[in-house]
Every structure is written in C-alpha cells, then in structure tokens.
Amino acid sequence: MTIDWTHFTPMTALTGGIMIGLAAVILILVNGRIAGISGILGGLLTPSKGENAWRVAFLLGMVSAPLIWVVVAALPAIEIDASTPLLVIAGLLVGFGTRMGSGCTSGHGVCGLSRLSPRSLVATTLFMAMGFVTVYIVRHVLGGV
Amino acid sequence: MRTLLFAFISGLIFGVGLLVSGMANPAKVLGFLDLAGVWDPSLALVMVGAILVGLFGFTAARRRTTSLLGHPMRLPDSTVIDRRLVIGALLFGAGWGLAGFCPGPAIVALGAGQAKAVIFVAAMVAGMILFQVFQSWEQRQHTALGS
C-alpha cells in the first residue's frame, strides 16, 4: 500500500469530521432525530405527519452549505469523473441499497457507530468492503470506465 | 419553528463539514476506496472525527427520553442483522464505489450547482422509489402466500 501524501489532508479531514459529528449530535439532542441522509430524503417519499417539515429544513441546510460558502471563499474542488450512464446506475444502486439496508454513510457510519450499534457496524463494514471491491474492479481489473 | 431552525442548522453544519473535509468531492472519496492505488486515508479521519464527537452526544442522547425541544427520542431500536441489511449495504457499497457519491455529498454537490450531481440525485431518488415499489410487491407476495 502506498499513501497518497499529496492528496492526504489529515487536518481538514478531522476538522470536517468533527463538524459532521457535531451536526449529528445537534439533531439527536435538540430534535431527537437521526442525521441519516438517506433516511431523511427517503422519508419524504412516504410523507408522515409531523416528520416532513424538519426533513425539508435539514436538506435545505445541506444544499445551502455551498451557497453560503461561496459568499466567504472559493468552493473546494468537486470532481465527478463518472460518465452519465455510470452516474445513473450508481445513483439507482445507492438509492435502492440505502433504503433496503436502512442507512448510508451518515446513518450507519456516523450515527450508528457512535451509538455502538452492531447492526450499523455490520452495514458499514459491508458497504465499505463493497466500495473497495468495486473500485478495485473498475480501476484495476477493467482499467477504468 | 425552533425545530425547523435547528434542523436547518444541523444540515448546514453537516454540509459545511462535508466541504471542509473534502468528502463532497467524489474524486477524493474514490482516492480512499482505491486501496490498490495510491491511497488517500482522509475519509478514515473524517469518520474518526465524527464518531469521537458522536460517542459523547449519543451517549447523552441515550439517557434522555425527550429531546431538548421536548420531542420523543427516535433512536433506532432494531438489532436484527438480516438479509435485507446485508444485501442493501452491498448494493449501496457498489453504487458508492462506481461514482464516489453517497447521499450527503451528492446533495451538497447539488447545492454547488454541479450538473452531474443533479443526475446522480435524480437517479438516487428513483432508486428509493424503486425500493418502495419492490417492498410493496414483496408484501403482496407475502400476503398472497399466507392466505
């Protein structure tokens, strides 16, 4: 294994991670809700009384982050190399899979591991492992798509 | 009103955290998932930072029956590790590895006006709807078999 020292950003990664943790803690302690993005978005597709407005407000906050950011500083790079067909397949898999598995990187990865949930540990291990395998196949077996 | 304000603030901090950490950038996420290439460990440190804060917050949350604004604490109580959890996580992992996007970063990239993020989020919502269709079909099968 070779570490990519030119792209490795330990300080900003930790700082950003702490902010993500803080956001999840605010939502659970103040509102009593889990900051799982797939659950919040997916929950809006089957609207339930009293659970819709806060979900919309949370998602608006997320969408506003880059809009407020650009007022203060230049946006960091967002490089999306995947082709349109690949993005569609990836999006379908992420949408279907996160609903079926009841969570994504935020719900299982951040909130679930913070709660020491065995279910979330299993889910996080599996989706990370599958992410590693998929990138290995795409980049090193198929030679990039 | 305060509920909505704090939900907005939480989403905003979450989004800024994703931007600060570089995780809103699929290329950086793929740099972490590419173990066999030159590996960027940043994502692991994002998780460490988030979980360190989360451990304290969720421990405090578990001791409460209502939130600070008086809402019931909706902490997941399921402990079942079933086929649904396993297959769902594997499908999600495959999609994550294909594009480098998971739901949070995709929504932030959407806010940043990235056209490709719009495509991804549209497909992701379609995938969520598809799961609901699948689930109600499965339930009908179940009821049909049971009767």
Side-chain angles (χ1 to χ4, degrees):
Chain A
M1 183 182 288
T2 327
I3 303 275
D4 186 354
W5 292 108
T6 50
H7 289 105
F8 182 34
T9 46
M11 285 321 288
T12 48
L14 258 179
T15 311
I18 289 168
M19 295 183 79
I20 293 168
L22 190 69
V25 168
I26 290 174
L27 198 66
I28 192 68
L29 282 181
V30 179
N31 285 6
R33 297 296 184 272
I34 294 280
I37 316 302
S38 57
I40 291 174
L41 184 61
L44 282 174
L45 299 172
T46 45
S48 53
K49 205 172 172 290
E51 298 295 322
N52 304 320
W54 76 265
R55 287 184 169 131
V56 171
F58 181 91
L59 293 174
L60 277 177
M62 282 197 96
V63 171
S64 306
L67 302 173
I68 293 173
W69 183 293
V70 288
V71 178
V72 189
L75 265 184
I78 298 177
E79 305 145 88
I80 311 165
D81 297 327
S83 63
T84 302
L86 198 63
L87 281 169
V88 171
I89 297 167
L92 286 170
L93 283 167
V94 169
F96 194 96
T98 51
R99 292 310 280 158
M100 185 179 215
S102 313
C104 57
T105 339
S106 50
H108 279 311
V110 174
C111 299
L113 294 187
S114 294
R115 293 189 303 116
L116 308 173
S117 152
R119 223 172 106 80
S120 292
L121 180 64
V122 169
T124 308
T125 308
L126 287 174
F127 68 65
M128 284 234 171
M130 197 59 184
F132 289 136
V133 170
T134 306
V135 172
Y136 183 80
I137 293 172
V138 170
R139 289 197 175 173
H140 304 284
V141 179
L142 302 174
V145 170
Chain B
M1 204 57 227
R2 279 187 301 175
T3 304
L4 299 188
L5 179 68
F6 278 101
F8 180 85
I9 290 170
S10 171
L12 182 65
I13 298 175
F14 205 112
V16 172
L18 284 170
L19 285 167
V20 168
S21 64
M23 294 302 117
N25 183 4
K28 196 163 172 66
V29 173
L30 291 174
F32 169 80
L33 291 176
D34 189 8
L35 283 178
V38 270
W39 188 54
D40 177 359
S42 303
L43 191 146
L45 284 180
V46 179
M47 295 300 288
V48 168
I51 292 166
L52 277 179
V53 178
L55 278 173
F56 290 102
F58 280 91
T59 306
R62 244 202 311 265
R63 297 203 185 103
R64 304 183 60 95
T65 47
T66 55
S67 77
L68 294 172
L69 287 179
H71 300 294
M73 298 298 278
R74 292 275 164 83
L75 285 163
D77 46 13
S78 172
T79 50
V80 213
I81 294 158
D82 54 6
R83 208 171 53 166
R84 219 185 100 150
L85 181 84
V86 170
I87 297 173
L90 290 175
L91 291 175
F92 162 46
W96 192 32
L98 283 180
F101 262 144
C102 53
I107 287 167
V108 173
L110 182 92
Q114 294 278 340
K116 281 183 160 183
V118 180
I119 297 169
F120 180 88
V121 171
M124 180 170 79
V125 171
M128 289 176 166
I129 294 170
L130 219 60
F131 174 71
Q132 273 163 19
V133 174
F134 165 77
Q135 202 180 26
S136 51
W137 172 81
E138 207 183 27
Q139 273 161 3
R140 274 202 306 274
Q141 295 289 100
H142 196 74
T143 343
L145 284 172
S147 59

